[in-house]
Amino acid sequence: MRRLVSYALVYLLAAATAQAGDTVPLQVRIGYLGYRPDPGPLLSNVIAEPTDAGLRGAELAIIDSNSTGRFLKHDYRLDSATVDSPEALLQAARAQHEQGLRLFVVNAPAASLRQLSAALPDSLLFNAGSPDDNLRTSDCLGNVLHTLPDRATLADALVQFSVVRKWQRALLIVGQTPEDQAYAAALRRAMKRFGMKIVAEKPWQFDNDQRRSAQADMPLFTQTAEYDVVLVADERGDFGEYVPYQTWFPRPVAGTQGLTPTGWHKTVETYGAAQLQKRFEALAGRWMNDRDFAAWIAVRSIAAAVSKLRQDDPFAIRQLALGDQLPLDGFKGRKLSYRPWNGQLRQPIPLVQPRALVSTSPQDGFLHPSNEMDSLGFDRPEVSCRYP
């Protein structure tokens, strides 16, 4: 009897193996579309920004997805296009679409993302490049999910920590670009939301070289009523790197420089993140940044959905992601999920200085009726658009 049972088990295993071997692998093709405008000459350019930010994260995610996908007969491939103009980006997207691609990771400004969303209505796009708040509040794109944190999320993460540290009074310094103005608006919103006070707001209007004159200019420029922290809105890096240690009052500096909220940083190592960091450094030869992580988690979101659905239909993936049933791990100690009202990925936000992790938000004590990570960024009542 035992021998008969053993023979039966061997037969069943052999049949299952043969059936699996006959299965045609599911080909999952993902397009990567990258375009970053030339920022122009920067004064604080001692450490250059990587030109392949985002792309390397997507490439690593393809490797990671194939390492597990082969057991399910899933084959992931990345078709990448990194271009130097919005027109070339749209052309590359249409070319990939004609080749049958319907899943895209986009590392581009908001204007290009809107163009791509309109040009590819039957596709699903993951925004790994634009922190624009309007894309999450009043101008939601129905076929776009966001893996890069928006400015409101970053500002809320920083201001929560400031409140915990009892930095209640802030001097706000704002650069001249539209991006700086948007970052400053997010900081104002967060300070009003969590009870911080702006004692003074100063626009940066100097055009001289701060590498030579910061010691003379900054103390006088930051002289005002007493403050607990200096908040800087300088996304380009025109002047913000020269604010720390030069302020009139000896106070911490935070925002785009100093203590910085970000989606990812080299100093994030807990919950298995060190393994991800090592794999990335072996692939790219540099540190993983926030756009790399945003592209990585976008591809991993697709792979997690395909593994659960056994198909790569873009709208089925979108529905699963927005339904809070997507099994998604991002090495941040919590299950990640997408908000159904605007498609933003919920995720903890590291607060870092250049060589150390200082804290992670949401901070303890900041509660929410349903999900404490919704204390960061735009909650449902704050969003005027609704995903269909």
Side-chain angles (χ1 to χ4, degrees), residues 134-151:
N134 290 332
L135 293 174
R136 283 84 164 177
T137 55
S138 59
D139 193 15
C140 299
L141 306 174
N143 59 342
V144 176
L145 300 177
H146 307 278
T147 54
L148 189 74
D150 50 299
R151 292 185 178 96

Side-chain angles (χ1 to χ4, degrees), residues 160-205:
Q160 281 191 9
F161 178 76
S162 300
V163 171
V164 168
R165 294 305 306 270
K166 300 188 184 307
W167 301 341
Q168 298 288 354
R169 301 166 299 177
L171 165 62
L172 177 60
I173 306 176
V174 185
Q176 299 178 8
T177 70
E179 292 77 16
D180 297 340
Q181 300 294 325
Y183 196 96
L187 288 173
R188 293 187 203 100
R189 169 191 169 275
M191 285 186 276
K192 181 178 180 180
R193 186 182 192 188
F194 297 116
M196 279 186 68
K197 178 184 178 182
I198 300 176
V199 299
E201 178 175 332
K202 295 194 173 186
W204 181 260
Q205 297 176 335

Side-chain angles (χ1 to χ4, degrees), residues 39-44 175-177 180 204 206 208-211 218 234-242 257:
L42 300 178
L43 298 179
S44 56
Q176 299 178 8
T177 70
D180 297 340
W204 181 260
F206 294 83
N208 55 316
D209 189 343
Q210 286 301 305
R211 290 173 293 185
M218 281 297 174
D234 175 27
E235 291 197 356
R236 263 175 44 101
D238 285 325
F239 64 91
E241 301 294 348
Y242 305 102
Q257 283 79 27

Side-chain angles (χ1 to χ4, degrees), residues 14 26 86 96 132 151 157 168 172 186 205 207 210-211 268 270 277 282-283 296 318 323 331 371 385-387:
L26 174 62
Q96 291 184 354
D132 185 86
R151 292 185 178 96
Q168 298 288 354
L172 177 60
Q205 297 176 335
D207 57 3
Q210 286 301 305
R211 290 173 293 185
V268 177
T270 55
Q277 303 277 22
L283 173 70
W296 181 86
R318 175 187 178 279
F331 298 100
N371 189 324
C385 57
R386 287 290 182 268
Y387 266 26

Side-chain angles (χ1 to χ4, degrees), residues 15 26 33 45 75 97 152 164 188 203 209 231 281 304 352 357 367 384:
L26 174 62
L33 300 169
N45 58 355
D75 181 24
H97 186 269
V164 168
R188 293 187 203 100
D209 189 343
L231 299 181
E281 289 174 24
V352 302
L357 174 67
L367 304 179
S384 60

